[in-house]
Amino acid sequence: MELKSDTEKVILDAARSIFSEKGLAGARMQEIADRANINKAMLHYYFRSKDKLFERVFKEAFQEFWPQITKSILESGTVEDFLKRAIGSYVDLFMNKPYLPIFILSEVNSNPDRIESLIKEGGVQPQIIIEYLQDKMEQGLLKKMNPRELLVNVISLSIFPFAGRPLIERMIFNGDKESVNSFLKERKHTIFEFLKPLIIENH
Amino acid sequence: MELKSDTEKVILDAARSIFSEKGLAGARMQEIADRANINKAMLHYYFRSKDKLFERVFKEAFQEFWPQITKSILESGTVEDFLKRAIGSYVDLFMNKPYLPIFILSEVNSNPDRIESLIKEGGVQPQIIIEYLQDKMEQGLLKKMNPRELLVNVISLSIFPFAGRPLIERMIFNGDKESVNSFLKERKHTIFEFLKPLIIENH
DNA sequence: AATAAGGTTAACCATTTGGTTAATTCCTTT
DNA sequence: AAAGGAATTAACCAAATGGTTAACCTTATT
């Protein structure tokens, strides 16, 4: 007895995989059906239209995307702790779901309005993070700078290597997949070490 | 008397604009023709097929993308100089052509093989940069770390804010386009300041 | 001015694609 | 086991789309 029928789950898995590989426009309903080992009519039976199906997949992806960093604040004490958690949760997430960054970036780009509603209902609260960082800076625990800049930098360092993986793999690692993989795995630590000098010793 | 006929140029401009907005799969030949104010048959007359047209647009975009950083080395003396040039040339490029990052990232993702040939014929030489950085580190002019890591970080910080602009605009700047714009404009300096501590004073 | 060649257009075509439908199977409830 | 509803399927449909074609226009050369 499951909330989602097995078929529904199978469809969502297939759809997620095809949509992130080819995008909304490039995906074919028939291909999704094939990957799910199911009749194409079932897609419409469960989700009515391609757009509705995509909307669902996108929403679920987007909701995994943002909350990480907010959560890591509420659970953390020191700045060091916060940075470790923020970076760590992103890197872990993208190691497990490498399709997420480019999927979100691509689709937000071709239809920016799509996230408007998700941001509102999703409770995205960047303000909390900005204020947290500003606090720590004023307390002299973090190098003073534009907190938005720091936030963007942390996100850039955490996300870009995953979004740009195919490029990085070919242009910087000469196509050596294994090297790239361990490089990405280590990111959790290297990004933190890279940012560590921003933390001011408490004494 | 031009090398490229006026029509050819008009088509390429329209194609670039549509392709970067909607991607290869999402773009419509009719829409490209409309934006170029010409008959759809002209697209095929000049470029034979949608794929050929896309290939051309993508190639031109990709060739703008990479050489920047390599060039900035050959022309620069000190490490400080190098960082300034590398970051500056990227930020300038993306301020003028904001569609570039996401366009390249998206299309490379949905067809990674596409860049194989371009990398070879395009003379992409990451080795030069890696070695340059390693040299400087060994000379004690740059903080010691994995040079590939540093390279990826510089690229991440330079590119991501442009690739993720729609996201950043809505999630971190509450939709205030003007703020985002000046934020991005200042990036040239802020990224450099951010990385400056890596440079070791020469004395 | 006649001619030829390239540029341009409207109409057309075959295929692909999202979506529908009506019939069939499966499962649960009585 | 009969019935009724949900799940599933094959066949089908209309619209969209990349691409073609044949006629027409423009321009430069003689």
Side-chain angles (χ1 to χ4, degrees):
Chain A
M1 179 167 288
E2 318 114 73
L3 285 176
K4 288 178 191 176
S5 76
D6 197 50
T7 308
E8 189 174 333
K9 191 177 178 315
V10 163
I11 292 175
L12 282 173
D13 287 342
R16 191 179 315 115
S17 139
I18 300 284
F19 278 138
S20 17
E21 195 178 315
K22 317 207 165 178
L24 169 57
R28 297 288 157 250
M29 293 297 267
Q30 188 59 59
E31 203 178 354
I32 295 174
D34 289 347
R35 183 156 308 183
N37 278 314
I38 215 177
N39 189 281
K40 179 166 71 87
M42 296 306 287
L43 303 181
H44 294 95
Y45 181 76
Y46 279 90
F47 296 95
R48 308 209 36 188
S49 70
K50 186 187 184 184
D51 275 307
K52 290 259 169 48
L53 175 56
F54 179 83
E55 211 62 47
R56 172 70 174 275
V57 168
F58 181 83
K59 186 175 177 176
E60 291 188 3
F62 186 79
Q63 282 170 345
E64 282 197 283
F65 197 71
W66 177 253
Q68 303 298 335
I69 203 168
T70 314
K71 219 176 62 184
S72 56
I73 280 183
L74 306 174
E75 295 173 353
S76 65
T78 63
V79 186
E80 178 170 339
D81 213 28
F82 163 68
L83 280 179
K84 268 186 187 158
R85 280 171 193 262
I87 298 163
S89 60
Y90 268 125
V91 173
D92 284 343
L93 176 64
F94 301 145
M95 284 302 295
N96 288 323
K97 314 202 171 180
Y99 59 86
L100 262 184
I102 201 72
F103 176 57
I104 302 286
L105 287 179
S106 298
E107 297 300 336
V108 168
N109 178 254
S110 64
N111 189 352
D113 295 333
R114 181 168 282 126
I115 54 172
E116 295 288 0
S117 58
L118 291 181
I119 286 180
K120 276 163 195 154
E121 73 186 57
V124 172
Q125 282 299 357
Q127 216 54 40
I128 296 178
I129 300 172
I130 307 291
E131 282 165 14
Y132 172 89
L133 293 174
Q134 202 142 34
D135 261 18
K136 296 297 178 184
M137 288 174 192
E138 280 163 11
Q139 291 168 27
L141 298 173
L142 197 55
K143 188 179 172 190
K144 284 193 174 46
M145 59 190 295
N146 177 351
R148 269 176 242 268
E149 189 201 328
L150 177 56
L151 179 56
V152 169
N153 288 354
V154 171
I155 294 177
S156 299
L157 294 168
S158 303
I159 297 183
F160 182 82
F162 293 91
R165 174 167 184 159
L167 269 179
I168 291 174
E169 185 175 306
R170 285 164 182 76
M171 306 201 339
I172 300 184
F173 287 86
N174 299 312
D176 182 351
K177 284 177 196 291
E178 206 34 68
S179 296
V180 180
N181 215 51
S182 48
F183 175 80
L184 291 176
K185 252 187 231 162
E186 288 168 19
R187 275 253 115 189
K188 212 194 292 197
H189 303 110
T190 53
I191 297 177
F192 176 73
E193 290 300 322
F194 193 73
L195 297 176
K196 209 173 184 179
L198 297 174
I199 302 175
I200 298 166
E201 299 294 329
N202 194 0
H203 55 145
Chain B
M1 178 167 289
E2 318 112 75
L3 284 177
K4 287 179 191 176
S5 76
D6 199 48
T7 308
E8 189 173 334
K9 190 177 178 313
V10 163
I11 291 175
L12 282 172
D13 287 342
R16 191 179 315 116
S17 138
I18 300 284
F19 279 138
S20 23
E21 196 178 314
K22 318 207 165 179
L24 168 57
R28 296 288 157 253
M29 292 298 267
Q30 188 59 59
E31 203 178 352
I32 295 174
D34 289 347
R35 183 156 308 182
N37 277 313
I38 55 165
N39 188 282
K40 178 165 72 88
M42 298 305 287
L43 304 181
H44 294 96
Y45 181 77
Y46 280 90
F47 296 95
R48 310 209 36 185
S49 71
K50 187 186 185 185
D51 275 308
K52 290 261 169 48
L53 174 56
F54 179 84
E55 211 62 47
R56 171 69 174 276
V57 168
F58 180 83
K59 186 176 176 175
E60 291 187 4
F62 186 78
Q63 283 170 345
E64 282 197 282
F65 197 69
W66 175 253
Q68 304 298 333
I69 203 168
T70 314
K71 221 175 64 183
S72 57
I73 279 183
L74 305 175
E75 295 172 354
S76 65
T78 63
V79 185
E80 177 169 340
D81 212 28
F82 163 68
L83 280 179
K84 268 187 187 157
R85 279 171 194 263
I87 298 163
S89 60
Y90 268 126
V91 172
D92 285 342
L93 176 65
F94 301 145
M95 284 302 295
N96 288 324
K97 314 201 172 179
Y99 58 87
L100 262 185
I102 200 74
F103 177 58
I104 302 286
L105 287 179
S106 298
E107 298 300 336
V108 168
N109 177 254
S110 65
N111 189 352
D113 295 332
R114 181 169 284 127
I115 54 171
E116 295 287 0
S117 58
L118 292 181
I119 285 180
K120 277 164 195 154
E121 74 187 57
V124 171
Q125 282 299 355
Q127 215 54 38
I128 295 177
I129 301 171
I130 306 291
E131 283 165 14
Y132 172 89
L133 293 174
Q134 202 142 32
D135 261 17
K136 296 296 179 185
M137 288 175 192
E138 280 163 12
Q139 290 167 28
L141 298 172
L142 196 55
K143 188 180 171 190
K144 284 193 174 49
M145 58 191 293
N146 177 350
R148 270 177 241 268
E149 188 200 329
L150 177 55
L151 179 57
V152 168
N153 289 355
V154 171
I155 295 178
S156 298
L157 293 168
S158 303
I159 297 184
F160 182 81
F162 293 92
R165 173 166 186 162
L167 269 179
I168 290 174
E169 185 175 307
R170 285 165 180 76
M171 307 203 338
I172 300 185
F173 287 85
N174 297 312
D176 181 351
K177 285 177 196 289
E178 207 34 68
S179 297
V180 180
N181 215 52
S182 48
F183 175 80
L184 291 176
K185 253 186 229 161
E186 288 168 19
R187 275 253 114 189
K188 211 195 292 196
H189 304 109
T190 52
I191 296 176
F192 176 73
E193 289 300 322
F194 193 74
L195 297 177
K196 210 174 182 177
L198 297 174
I199 302 175
I200 297 168
E201 299 294 328
N202 194 359
H203 54 143

